[in-house]
Amino acid sequence: MTGVVEQIGTASANFSEQLEQTFGQVTKALLAEVRSPETLTLALTAEHSQFTRFNRAKVRQTGTVADGELTLTLMSGDRTTFHEVPITGDANVDLETAVDALAELRQDIEQLPEDPYQVIPTGNASSHDVNYGDLLSADQVVSEILPVVAGLDFTGLYAGGVSIRAYADSAGQTHWFCTDSFTLDYSLFTEDGKAVKGTFAGDRWNPDDYAAKLTESKQQLQQLASVAKPIAKGQYRTYLAPAAMAELISMFSWGCVSEAALQRGGSALGAMRSDDKSLSSKFSLKENFKHGLVPRFNNLGQVAPMELPLIDSGQLVNTLISSRTAKEYNLTANGASQWEGLRSPEVSSGTLAHDDILSRLDTGLYLSNLHYLNWSDRPKGRITGMTRYACFWVENGAIVAPIENLRFDESLYRCFGEQLMELTTFQEFIPDVGSYGSRNLGGTWVPGALMEAFTYTL
């Protein structure tokens, strides 16, 4: 992998090169053990990451994690079972562990019921995708991050390094995905405990972009110093900043664009198919793998299209169809994951310039973040949740005061339909900052959104 040393550092380069070699050796040896009519798949998740935790603008914890996990899935006689084992990079040790796991799978599989919708991987697709970046070295993290927040109550977690996803199966498919990425998930606090939340992420650290992001957060921190204004329940013109938008878009993975959910009557977008409902012509959502932050192959080695429009100018044009759903309902799969959720979502931008947001909002609510989202009535597309962090009351195009937390309850058909006024000309990348088990990949590309009326219930 030429050039990796300069881009991700020697340690990460050695880790990825060694792991790719080990994965190839283990795969070759293990697939040679497959007996007819068995099918075996191997999926690798691994990373070499630097984690640095900050509290009150001081380093509280720092260290490097090199970790990997190999998932073996055995299919035979319409039965499927799997086993997860650690992978160390030592081919001899890892092969011995994998052989033992395969033996356990063969014992377990006979005890399982048959699955009428089991899908066996086929084809000989292969890919080798390495996305270079320019990340901070371990000794640069503190010197790059803390000077910009000097004097502030800054808390956050920096996570950066190389992440690997790989796949191979007894049908002959092989995939290797290796990418650099970083996330800085942070909060700035006022003296009385109010907080501004922010994320800064990508595959190339840019100090100017980081400084600009923190400048915006510092301005919001100053605005939070005012006494919070209570807001009565009702409907208000509302601007959703990209982070708040990303929370709403995440709900599309919970029984929205899933074909299985639509077929079973549990999709929030069911009315777009059965009742010819539509959203605003200004709203378009697609899967876009061109950003190179997540692999295109799924749990069966199938490769999704580089781009897949889901909602185009307010019309539902595609859904996410897994092979299992395709088999059950006699459809054509499109490379979706088994759970048919969004993996690389992007909402198209619009016409609202950044400098015009407050003037176009005029009087209403500016929401930086949302949390605790859930369906209040999924068949009708209704979502409930809470405002969070730096959210403000705006009058005559100027921020007047922060607000006390509000609960909202609103329909997708309203907020992304008849009430959608404009989307911003810019998009932001809102990363998935989860790190339970391993660093999550990807995130959501979203603009901000201005809505004529948004419903607050408490």
Side-chain angles (χ1 to χ4, degrees), residues 95-108:
L95 179 57
E96 183 178 353
T97 303
V99 168
D100 290 343
L102 178 57
E104 290 183 25
L105 291 175
R106 284 178 172 145
Q107 291 178 350
D108 294 344

Side-chain angles (χ1 to χ4, degrees), residues 290-333:
K290 288 185 176 180
H291 298 296
L293 298 177
V294 295
R296 290 169 60 196
F297 56 87
N298 64 13
N299 58 295
L300 291 174
Q302 300 158 338
V303 180
M306 188 66 77
E307 291 188 58
L308 179 68
L310 299 168
I311 299 173
D312 187 15
S313 300
Q315 304 296 319
L316 182 65
V317 294
N318 284 299
T319 57
L320 297 176
I321 308 174
S322 68
S323 292
R324 184 180 182 86
T325 297
K327 184 174 182 178
E328 184 173 356
Y329 297 104
N330 195 26
L331 301 170
T332 301

Side-chain angles (χ1 to χ4, degrees), residues 58-213:
K58 295 180 180 179
V59 176
R60 296 303 182 188
Q61 186 180 23
T62 189
T64 301
V65 171
D67 193 25
E69 182 178 79
L70 186 65
T71 301
L72 285 71
T73 301
L74 183 66
M75 306 175 189
S76 181
D78 291 334
R79 298 179 176 90
T80 302
T81 187
F82 70 95
H83 201 324
E84 297 173 346
V85 298
I87 188 165
T88 67
D90 184 320
N92 293 326
V93 172
D94 293 333
L95 179 57
E96 183 178 353
T97 303
V99 168
D100 290 343
L102 178 57
E104 290 183 25
L105 291 175
R106 284 178 172 145
Q107 291 178 350
D108 294 344
I109 200 166
E110 296 301 326
Q111 313 303 317
L112 299 175
E114 293 183 353
D115 178 2
Y117 302 115
Q118 180 195 66
V119 177
I120 303 296
T122 59
N124 57 357
S126 65
S127 63
H128 192 274
D129 190 5
V130 176
N131 299 294
Y132 302 127
D134 187 6
L135 308 184
L136 298 175
S137 64
D139 57 2
Q140 288 178 312
V141 171
V142 175
S143 61
E144 285 286 332
I145 291 176
L146 287 187
V148 181
V149 295
L152 298 175
D153 188 348
F154 168 85
T155 297
L157 176 65
Y158 172 88
V162 61
S163 294
I164 295 167
R165 301 292 186 269
Y167 173 91
D169 63 35
S170 53
Q173 299 182 114
T174 60
H175 299 283
W176 181 265
F177 178 85
C178 176
T179 189
D180 294 341
S181 66
F182 74 89
T183 61
L184 176 62
D185 186 23
Y186 68 89
S187 296
L188 304 179
F189 290 88
T190 64
E191 291 184 358
D192 59 355
K194 298 174 186 175
V196 173
K197 169 77 168 176
T199 55
F200 182 61
D203 60 359
R204 284 170 169 76
W205 181 270
N206 185 309
D208 293 334
D209 290 346
Y210 170 59
K213 181 68 177 179

Side-chain angles (χ1 to χ4, degrees), residues 205-284:
W205 181 270
N206 185 309
D208 293 334
D209 290 346
Y210 170 59
K213 181 68 177 179
L214 265 295
T215 295
E216 183 179 344
S217 294
K218 292 174 186 177
Q219 291 172 346
Q220 290 186 338
L221 190 69
Q222 293 175 344
Q223 293 161 338
L224 275 180
S226 304
V227 176
K229 177 181 176 64
I231 304 295
K233 66 180 181 180
Q235 294 185 342
Y236 298 93
R237 181 176 288 187
T238 296
Y239 172 73
L240 295 177
M245 270 286 284
E247 292 291 340
L248 285 180
I249 297 303
S250 71
M251 296 297 290
F252 280 77
S253 288
W254 292 17
C256 251
V257 291
S258 159
E259 180 63 31
L262 278 159
Q263 291 287 341
R264 295 164 189 165
S267 171
L269 301 183
M272 295 184 73
R273 178 175 288 179
S274 61
D275 299 336
D276 293 326
K277 264 201 167 187
S278 61
L279 303 181
S280 169
S281 60
K282 299 174 182 177
F283 183 82
S284 294

